Each structure stands twice: as C-alpha cells, then as structure tokens.
Amino acid sequence: MAKNHYFADKPANEQNLYEDLIIESLKIYGQDVYYMPREIVNEDKIFGQDVPSRFSTAYKIEMYIENQQGFDGEGDLFTKFGIEIRDAATFVVSRRRWRHTIDQRANEITSIRPREGDIIYLPLSNSMFEIMHVEHEQPFYQLNNVPTYNLRCELFVYSSEDLDTGIEVIDGIEADAANVKLTLNAAFDSAQHEG
C-alpha cells in the first residue's frame, strides 16, 4: 500500500516551528563563540596543504556544546616530550542562524556551510577548536529537513598562523604563542670567549 496522500510530506509550518524552537534553545543553553574562517595564503598544489594560514575575521554566533561532562577526546596525555592536551568538542549551530551570519554585508565567509579547517574560539575556556568534520544530516531528516550543523572539533594547535581578527583576546593568542624567551647563561658565554 502506498503512502497516504492526505498528509503533507513537507509541512512548512511545522518545519519552521521546529527550527524556531532549536534556535531559541541554542540562544538559551548555548555559548557565544567566534567563528574564524581560514584564509589560504599559499597553497601547496602538489600535497594540497596550506602551510601559512591566516585568520583575519571573527564572527560572533551562538552554538551549543553537545558534550555534557566536559570535553571529549583523549584528554591529557603524558608523553616523553611533555603534556599533550587532546580535547575535542561537538558544537551545534542552527542553519538559519548560519545563513543569517553569512548574509551580512561585511562578511568574508564564502561557504554556504561551516568548513573543515576553520576555527571556533570558545571564550568560556579561552581555547580555540579546529573544525575536523561538519555533520550536515543529523538529526536525520525529522519533518523532512535538517535544521542544524554538528561541528566535530579538536583543540587547535597553533603553528605560526596569522591571527588579526581585531578582537584583543584572540589576537593575543598569537602573541603569546609566538614569543619564545631565550636566556643565555653569562658564565657559559664568557667560557666560550676564553676558549
């Protein structure tokens, strides 16, 4: 027997209500984060890598952190080179709020959805997360639409990227990570000159 044709396949009113409820929930339970699109400066055409990246803009948007008990991932690992922090998180953002953000006039985001490789700055923990995967089919077509993006992210490891967003806290991360203090021992220095 075929599907009942008296019921609408795509009830627009219910889809809009469902999306409105999600947006309201994100505004209540979510966090204000900064989304920073990656700018490719000099792409290596052979390996497909972009060694020197730049982040020159940051857009404030609300996202919900899906992790309830803390950050996911492998946590803190003790290695022979020191401590490695491998935190991970899943951020949920509304598709309609995302479209509203990219439709702004002074916007430099070129993608219709969040992209892998872009950065999310979370002021709550003063940390940056790199988007590793964008899940765009979850929850799986309830009411024949998907109102959110789930962004699976890992803690961002700074490696000489340019951070010039105009937001002091974010730009300070570059200054803190880029400065290396070098101290010389005066006794060692004078012993070298004598020998």
Side-chain angles (χ1 to χ4, degrees):
M1 177 171 247
K3 208 174 142 189
N4 191 333
H5 63 276
Y6 292 108
F7 293 95
D9 282 341
K10 299 176 183 176
N13 292 340
E14 290 181 21
Q15 287 177 342
N16 292 336
L17 174 64
Y18 178 51
E19 194 166 8
D20 288 342
L21 290 172
I22 288 174
I23 291 171
E24 186 175 352
S25 298
L26 290 174
K27 286 185 178 281
I28 293 170
Y29 299 110
Q31 299 286 328
D32 282 335
V33 301
Y34 289 95
Y35 179 85
M36 297 183 294
R38 182 183 297 267
E39 297 174 29
I40 296 174
V41 178
N42 187 13
E43 185 178 6
D44 183 354
K45 300 290 184 186
I46 296 172
F47 295 109
Q49 297 176 342
D50 172 38
V51 179
S53 293
R54 179 175 49 219
F55 300 94
S56 61
T57 55
Y59 302 96
K60 191 179 214 179
I61 189 169
E62 70 277 353
M63 292 187 188
Y64 177 71
I65 304 172
E66 199 170 75
N67 317 71
Q68 297 295 323
Q69 302 296 322
F71 293 122
D72 286 342
E74 297 176 31
D76 302 343
L77 298 175
F78 295 96
T79 66
K80 60 183 174 182
F81 300 109
I83 298 174
E84 277 187 43
I85 301 172
R86 295 187 181 173
D87 288 339
T90 302
F91 293 90
V92 180
V93 65
S94 163
R95 286 180 183 237
R96 187 188 308 160
R97 287 289 295 128
W98 176 258
R99 281 192 307 270
H100 174 71
T101 302
I102 65 172
D103 286 342
Q104 292 176 0
R105 190 172 283 211
N107 189 346
E108 294 182 16
I109 301 175
T110 58
S111 176
I112 59 171
R113 68 173 182 85
R115 294 182 310 177
E116 289 82 0
D118 291 350
I119 302 295
I120 295 173
Y121 173 72
L122 179 62
L124 176 70
S125 62
N126 192 27
S127 54
M128 296 194 309
F129 290 88
E130 182 176 359
I131 299 172
M132 305 309 279
H133 176 69
V134 178
E135 179 59 56
H136 59 278
E137 291 184 328
Q138 188 178 359
F140 192 68
Y141 294 99
Q142 294 178 347
L143 298 175
N144 286 330
N145 72 342
V146 184
T148 61
Y149 293 113
N150 288 5
L151 313 176
R152 296 194 184 116
C153 305
E154 291 180 1
L155 196 64
F156 178 68
V157 178
Y158 178 80
S159 59
S160 302
E161 287 85 3
D162 231 358
L163 300 175
D164 294 320
T165 61
I167 299 169
E168 209 171 299
V169 178
I170 297 173
D171 295 344
I173 294 172
E174 177 186 9
D176 292 342
N179 291 336
V180 177
K181 294 182 181 178
L182 179 64
T183 57
L184 296 174
N185 188 345
F188 178 76
D189 192 35
S190 63
Q192 276 191 336
H193 288 295
E194 292 174 3

